[in-house]
Amino acid sequence: MAITRILIANRGEIALRIHRAAHEMGIETVAVHSTADADAMHVRLADHAVCIGPPAAGESYLNVANIISAAEIAQADAIHPGYGFLSENAKFAEIVEAHDIKWIGPKPEHIRTMGDKVTAKTTAGELGLPLVPGSPGAVSTVDEAKRIAAEIGYPVLVKAASGGGGRGMKVVPEESQLETLMSQAKSEAKSAFGDDTVYLEKYLGNPRHIEFQVFGDGNGNAIHLGERDCSLQRRHQKVLEEAPSPVLSSAERDRMGQVCADAMAAMGYRGAGTIEFLWENGEFFFIEMNTRLQVEHPVTEAITGVDLVREQIRVADGKPLSVTQDEIRFEGHAIECRINAEDPFTFAPSPGKVSAYHAAGGMHVRVDSGLYAGYSIPPYYDSMIAKLIVYGRTRERCIMRLKRALGEMVVEGVKTNIPLHQALLEEPDILNGDYSIKWLEEWLAEREG
Ligand code: MV4
């Protein structure tokens, strides 16, 4: 039976994004919400809405029993998890499928494999993706770590297998510090993730973060939709993303993209995925794979014209992808600014009532947001309140249009990071595309003086 009603297990702009794709396919939507989100735009737009608990995400957007109950009560035949929350929870995916509800996401086994960074890396290596030199798997003893570190050369990085957001990561400059830093990494990982498994990698000093968008139909067919450059980050939070990367030639894109697509085809991967690489001196090194739709997916949509959420729904419904690799063209340039309710330079969250709101518009300007004048941004969730995605025929024109669009945005009553984006777009390094994963934090430290 074809999907007729999708429960959207998320909130904010991504819940809207999914609702829009569903409606364009003639599919009804069910919003779920916490008591803090009763007045949210995703609840207003959806065909049906179910309250799933109090404000704390653990009791609402992460409450599996309540979400499954909501799906049964509202007679949803599919669940889309969005990003964050339960999107990469293999157990949740299995529970959804056990209730005869279609899971709009990758196969649970693939979510599980990629969720553990050690098995992800081993699998990626077997599939032919280039790896950062390091331990072949988990490292259990200091002696073993010393032997491997001596082989790959210092500095090395100790990483947690269950890690995320850089937690449990330690740079080890030389052997004398290995024992101490490894035990620190292990105890941090144990308390953060309940798992003290660690592994070792050569530390790359000044890389870019470049990720490839992939898509599989679950039956051995897979494509890639090019890359996104997400090097501009602060404390593992992306600030601005662009596609294509300023440093890749189309031949390099085609080659690396094909390596990624072939790997996904070999796995029988289903749905949207992102393969993350560090890129240094023209070389790619796999670090992680995300088995979900990502915040920054619209820049890929802008340069390819492919609606990624529509494709997710199609493959979950057993249909083939609507495009072949040969049909995908990369045209022009797109940049996304994440607009957060926070102080633009201290980054302190700034929830509260939005007294006035006006979204930028005009040619090639997209604003994904659930904001409206009079809306109160709740303090319980992520501070991202809007995404501004701008397209141009060239990177230069994209940037000119982005500056124009940022100037049109009106968000009053709370602080936003729009002034940060405007300041970044005056920086020669940003204008030239000359930045690595370290650039933003160094720039902010300099501004501090
Ligand atoms: C690295 C690295 C340097 N060398 N691995 C950060 C969290 C996780 N996504 C992987 N991370 C890194 N892994 C090696 N071998 C530097 C980082 C890193 C980073 C990566 C991508 C984007 C921003 C980053 C900021 C700091 C460190």
Side-chain angles (χ1 to χ4, degrees), residues 35-368:
T35 52
D37 278 341
D39 295 327
M41 187 63 90
H42 78 277
V43 176
R44 295 190 181 192
L45 282 192
D47 301 296
H48 310 274
V50 182
C51 181
I52 51 165
E59 296 177 62
S60 51
Y61 297 103
L62 292 168
N63 187 327
V64 173
N66 288 11
I67 292 168
I68 297 289
S69 301
E72 306 240 274
I73 290 163
Q75 297 185 310
D77 46 22
I79 294 182
H80 194 308
Y83 51 66
F85 295 126
L86 295 166
S87 62
E88 292 180 284
N89 185 318
K91 189 73 207 159
F92 179 61
E94 284 168 352
I95 291 169
V96 169
E97 291 185 336
H99 283 77
D100 266 322
I101 300 168
K102 286 179 178 162
W103 168 247
I104 305 176
K107 297 171 186 173
E109 61 191 277
H110 291 153
I111 299 176
R112 190 168 281 120
T113 301
M114 295 305 174
D116 179 293
K117 286 162 181 46
V118 170
T119 54
K121 197 174 170 185
T122 311
T123 306
E126 287 164 4
L127 291 166
L129 299 172
L131 306 179
V132 190
S135 56
V139 177
S140 25
T141 67
V142 176
D143 281 349
E144 189 189 353
K146 282 187 177 166
R147 193 168 42 69
I148 293 161
E151 248 170 63
I152 60 182
Y154 288 87
V156 296
L157 195 54
V158 184
K159 290 185 170 181
S162 302
R167 279 188 300 180
M169 232 172 63
K170 296 283 170 203
V171 182
V172 184
E174 51 175 53
E175 188 178 271
S176 66
Q177 286 161 278
L178 183 61
E179 182 159 15
T180 314
L181 290 168
M182 185 169 154
S183 79
Q184 275 179 25
K186 273 177 164 298
S187 62
E188 272 184 36
K190 185 76 189 174
S191 59
F193 318 109
D195 170 15
D196 72 351
T197 310
V198 296
Y199 62 109
L200 228 59
E201 276 183 0
K202 173 88 192 155
Y203 175 68
L204 303 178
N206 200 26
R208 299 181 76 112
H209 171 127
I210 299 179
E211 56 184 34
F212 275 81
Q213 177 71 55
V214 290
F215 229 106
D217 69 359
N219 298 309
N221 302 300
I223 59 170
H224 76 87
L225 294 113
E227 82 287 3
R228 297 181 285 261
D229 198 314
C230 309
S231 302
L232 270 189
Q233 308 202 359
R234 174 186 172 268
R235 300 194 184 167
H236 304 287
Q237 293 292 315
K238 293 168 187 163
V239 171
L240 170 162
E241 307 94 349
E242 60 180 315
S245 168
V247 299
L248 280 204
S249 70
S250 85
E252 288 169 310
R253 167 171 316 107
D254 291 347
R255 187 192 69 78
M256 200 59 217
Q258 200 54 52
V259 170
C260 291
D262 289 347
M264 293 304 104
M267 280 183 94
Y269 190 77
R270 181 182 75 204
T274 298
I275 307 182
E276 291 187 357
F277 295 94
L278 296 179
W279 180 96
E280 203 170 59
N281 306 321
E283 262 192 283
F284 283 97
F285 303 96
F286 171 88
I287 45 169
E288 286 168 31
M289 177 168 180
N290 301 318
T291 53
R292 61 163 190 276
L293 184 72
Q294 295 209 214
V295 175
E296 59 271 23
H297 76 277
V299 296
T300 299
E301 297 185 322
I303 66 160
T304 62
V306 177
D307 178 335
L308 294 175
V309 179
R310 183 185 181 89
E311 296 305 315
Q312 286 188 296
I313 296 169
R314 283 177 62 87
V315 302
D317 215 359
K319 297 191 179 88
L321 292 168
S322 69
V323 282
T324 62
Q325 192 70 60
D326 288 348
E327 289 166 348
I328 293 169
R329 293 274 173 283
F330 303 104
E331 253 175 83
H333 201 93
I335 300 179
E336 171 178 278
C337 290
R338 295 188 184 199
I339 298 177
N340 300 334
E342 66 190 16
D343 184 282
F345 298 105
T346 70
F347 301 90
S350 178
K353 186 164 172 164
V354 177
S355 53
Y357 175 65
H358 179 264
M363 187 168 178
H364 295 320
V365 174
R366 167 177 174 182
V367 178
D368 278 18

